[in-house]
Amino acid sequence: MNNGLVRLLTWCSPAFPIGAFAYSAGLETAIAHARMAGRAETKDWIAGNLRSGTARNDAILVAEAWRGHEAPHRLAELAEFCLALTPALERHTEMLVTGGAFAEAARAWPDPVHDRLPEPCPYPVAFGAVAGAAGIDLTDTLAAYLTVHVQAQVSVAVRLVPIGQTEGLQIQAALEPLVAELSAGLSNATTDDLGAAAYAADIAAMKHETLGTRIFRS
């Protein structure tokens, strides 16, 4: 039995207490503004963020934290970099709240890496560093991280009813090849490869702060 895989599945479970269900990363704004008419638009929105948005940048930071898990100064540097890249105040808060919750919950598996994490620590850095210290394969780590992103976004879309549960599962199935491709490709990426062009998603995250009626915190 691969203990690393079992642990990764636990950390990525919706039941793992990091509070990610409370955030939409701006998707609530896009739905409220009728940017999502159904499955096709929702799938394209998520895929765009994976290819060229914050999800891609976060995955790169996961990889860098995975490689630098033994170096406190490197983790602190990556944490500052991650927070500097967040496009909106609510996304900044989301990164810190989920990162802090992940780091606290992951202490159930004692490891010196917990004392090397910066404070505060954004989610991608905490996730990558803890997975690296546990010796979990980097490609598997990235696949899990990106899959969680897809699942969270689909969950938002299902709850706000631009799509149903069956269509949500169809989106997840359709995006599996892209997640696998990015997981393999970004395992060799560094901070030099950071960059985003998903402007609609960034603007949606900014506009969420003034959205009249909302159920998500970002």
Side-chain angles (χ1 to χ4, degrees):
M1 174 64 70
N2 185 338
N3 289 345
L5 178 58
V6 174
R7 191 173 302 183
L8 193 59
L9 290 170
T10 300
W11 290 341
C12 294
S13 165
F16 200 66
I18 68 170
F21 65 89
Y23 299 92
S24 82
L27 182 56
E28 183 174 24
T29 309
I31 293 172
H33 292 171
R35 297 290 298 271
M36 304 291 133
R39 184 179 70 188
E41 293 87 353
T42 304
K43 173 181 164 295
D44 289 346
W45 181 275
I46 299 172
N49 211 1
L50 289 171
R51 290 193 182 97
S52 56
T54 55
R56 178 181 180 276
N57 280 345
D58 288 350
I60 293 173
L61 292 167
V62 168
E64 286 280 43
W66 186 95
R67 286 188 286 266
H69 68 86
E70 294 183 341
H73 294 298
R74 179 56 174 163
L75 294 177
E77 181 181 67
L78 290 170
E80 290 182 6
F81 212 160
C82 178
L83 295 176
L85 291 172
T86 54
L89 176 60
E90 291 180 348
R91 284 288 287 153
H92 186 279
T93 301
E94 178 182 345
M95 288 289 99
L96 291 181
V97 171
T98 55
F102 177 86
E104 181 63 28
R107 284 184 176 273
W109 293 265
D111 191 285
V113 71
H114 298 297
D115 296 325
R116 297 193 293 269
L117 293 177
E119 180 60 43
C121 187
Y123 181 50
V125 176
F127 190 92
V130 172
I136 299 173
D137 179 78
L138 177 53
T139 301
D140 290 345
T141 297
L142 292 174
Y145 185 89
L146 292 173
T147 297
V148 166
H149 171 78
V150 172
Q151 291 173 341
Q153 291 281 275
V154 166
S155 177
V156 171
V158 169
R159 279 185 277 175
L160 295 178
V161 202
I163 60 171
Q165 290 184 335
T166 298
E167 289 182 315
L169 292 172
Q170 289 170 344
I171 290 172
Q172 292 184 51
L175 291 177
E176 275 186 5
L178 177 59
V179 167
E181 174 190 335
L182 291 173
S183 302
L186 294 180
S187 63
N188 296 315
T190 69
T191 51
D192 290 339
D193 299 299
L194 289 167
Y199 303 120
D202 290 346
I203 293 171
M206 296 172 192
K207 288 186 174 181
H208 190 269
E209 297 176 16
T210 57
L211 195 64
T213 301
R214 54 185 180 170
I215 64 172
F216 292 94
R217 297 180 63 185
S218 72

